[in-house]
Amino acid sequence: MRKITSYLIVGLTLSASLLSSCNNKKGKDGRTDTYSSGTISFVSDESFSPIIEEERFVFEHDYPQAKVKPIYTNESDAINQLLEGKTWLAFTARDFKPSELKNLQAKNFKPVSLKLAYDALAFIINKNNTDTLISVKDIEQIMNGHITTWGQLYKGSKRGTITVVFDNAKSSTVHYVEDSILGGKPISNPNVAAVNKTEEVIKYVENTPNAIGIIGNNWLNDKRDSTNLTFNKNIRVMSVSHVHPATPTSGRKPYQYYIYNGEYPLIRTIYALLNDPRQGLPWGFAHFIEGPKGQRIVMKTGLLPVMGNINVRNVNISE
């Protein structure tokens, strides 16, 4: 079947900011990095590693005297490392909490958060599973244990127990489900498991007919498809509906266009959290991602940039 699907082109008309030419004198903390040179490490929620790796590759190519080394972990540990002064930069799916800001400011720090991109939580299932439509209310009932079998979702389904798998028990994905879907309550379904990495979630779903995996949508896109309309061929991506019960016309997949117009229900913001009094390389890298070239990379990886002019084009695709 052929249909017309909208996709996005981002025209970035922002003026590129020049990286500062700070000197590399050693500070009291022993650091010698500047806005565009030196070596630093930073932390990030592991679910953002595809976009971070793309940004890091281009940044280091453009600024060969700079090396930024990622430590991929879960969101809770990333933020704790930032608050404890073990890192100056963390990539997360939430802003500083008021109590965290107050604590840092009491120590004479000046923490800053930058919005970098919008992504979506994608619900993935085994490629042989044809039950691809779900509502936000269905998701809530699965997570609180009121729905535990595929037969409760789809009358007559023989797939048995629904097994839900996350990337990490303390990841931004889990936090989003608990905060934004369950209203701050913990996940209580006994058939929920956590692995260690997003890649393991995808592999688990590929091998498990009754599984639902929950991942960031930047893990899905076929890199050969410049329109970001082609998903990983080894799994299926569910359509998620604001409306309950879900219908084929109300369900949406996590395409950039549906993130842009808000029709996809499960959208979150990616932040760079900075607590760098030197305003050195952590600032340089974070502002690079926020700038024109960094935002074009965001677009390329299937997320939605926060900066730039958005143009919508229609294309014909086959399904």
Side-chain angles (χ1 to χ4, degrees), residues 1-285:
M1 180 179 75
R2 298 186 65 83
K3 70 174 185 176
I4 295 177
T5 299
S6 298
Y7 75 99
L8 303 181
I9 296 175
V10 174
L12 291 159
T13 58
L14 304 174
S15 60
S17 58
L18 296 176
L19 291 181
S20 168
S21 58
C22 301
N23 62 47
N24 61 353
K25 292 181 180 179
K26 185 178 291 188
K28 293 180 180 179
D29 56 6
R31 290 171 59 187
T32 59
D33 61 285
T34 73
Y35 204 72
S36 59
S37 68
T39 300
I40 58 100
S41 61
F42 64 90
V43 292
S44 173
D45 186 281
E46 184 271 339
S47 67
F48 304 138
S49 61
I51 175 65
I52 297 300
E53 286 302 310
E54 293 273 356
E55 298 282 4
R56 186 171 73 94
F57 176 81
V58 177
F59 179 77
E60 291 183 345
H61 177 270
D62 287 0
Y63 303 98
Q65 295 183 1
K67 298 295 177 186
V68 288
K69 299 179 178 180
I71 300 170
Y72 293 115
T73 182
N74 60 74
E75 184 176 77
S76 294
D77 289 348
I79 291 174
N80 286 337
Q81 287 188 47
L82 186 73
L83 297 177
E84 293 167 5
K86 296 177 180 178
T87 188
W88 302 284
L89 171 63
F91 294 99
T92 68
R94 72 164 176 85
D95 203 345
F96 286 108
K97 294 179 180 178
S99 60
E100 293 166 347
L101 283 174
K102 185 176 180 180
N103 180 265
L104 290 171
Q105 290 164 351
K107 298 175 182 177
N108 296 319
F109 288 110
K110 296 180 180 179
V112 172
S113 64
L114 304 175
K115 288 184 180 181
L116 301 178
Y118 303 105
D119 87 332
L121 287 196
F123 281 64
I124 61 173
I125 54 178
N126 187 274
K127 67 180 180 180
N128 295 319
N129 189 343
T130 56
D131 297 329
T132 60
L133 186 61
I134 196 167
S135 72
V136 174
K137 185 173 179 61
D138 290 332
I139 295 168
E140 179 185 2
Q141 292 184 317
I142 290 170
M143 297 303 165
N144 64 25
H146 292 165
I147 291 177
T148 58
T149 68
W150 283 98
Q152 291 173 275
L153 273 182
Y154 300 94
K155 189 174 181 180
S157 173
K158 308 290 187 186
R159 298 188 188 280
T161 300
I162 298 171
T163 301
V164 180
V165 59
F166 286 92
D167 50 349
N168 187 287
K170 297 191 290 183
S171 73
S172 60
T173 308
V174 171
H175 293 159
Y176 182 96
V177 169
E178 292 181 337
D179 294 342
S180 299
I181 298 177
L182 296 179
K185 297 178 182 178
I187 297 168
S188 54
N189 188 327
N191 301 314
V192 171
V195 288
N196 293 310
K197 299 178 180 179
T198 304
E199 187 176 11
E200 295 175 13
V201 176
I202 297 171
K203 186 61 66 177
Y204 187 96
V205 170
E206 287 177 1
N207 296 326
T208 310
N210 63 330
I212 297 177
I214 306 174
I215 63 175
N217 75 319
N218 67 117
W219 283 85
L220 292 176
N221 292 303
D222 185 337
K223 303 301 183 185
R224 298 164 296 179
D225 178 14
S226 62
T227 68
N228 286 314
L229 294 175
T230 306
F231 292 139
N232 185 322
K233 296 285 196 303
N234 295 323
I235 48 91
R236 289 180 184 266
V237 180
M238 301 188 83
S239 295
V240 182
S241 170
H242 282 290
V243 176
H244 181 81
T247 67
T249 56
S250 68
R252 295 289 184 269
K253 294 185 187 294
Y255 294 131
Q256 284 171 316
Y257 177 69
Y258 295 133
I259 299 174
Y260 168 66
N261 67 14
E263 291 183 22
Y264 189 75
L266 309 175
I267 301 169
R268 59 184 182 174
T269 305
I270 299 176
Y271 292 88
L273 303 185
L274 287 153
N275 187 33
D276 179 16
R278 184 180 175 88
Q279 297 190 5
L281 192 53
W283 279 70
F285 183 47

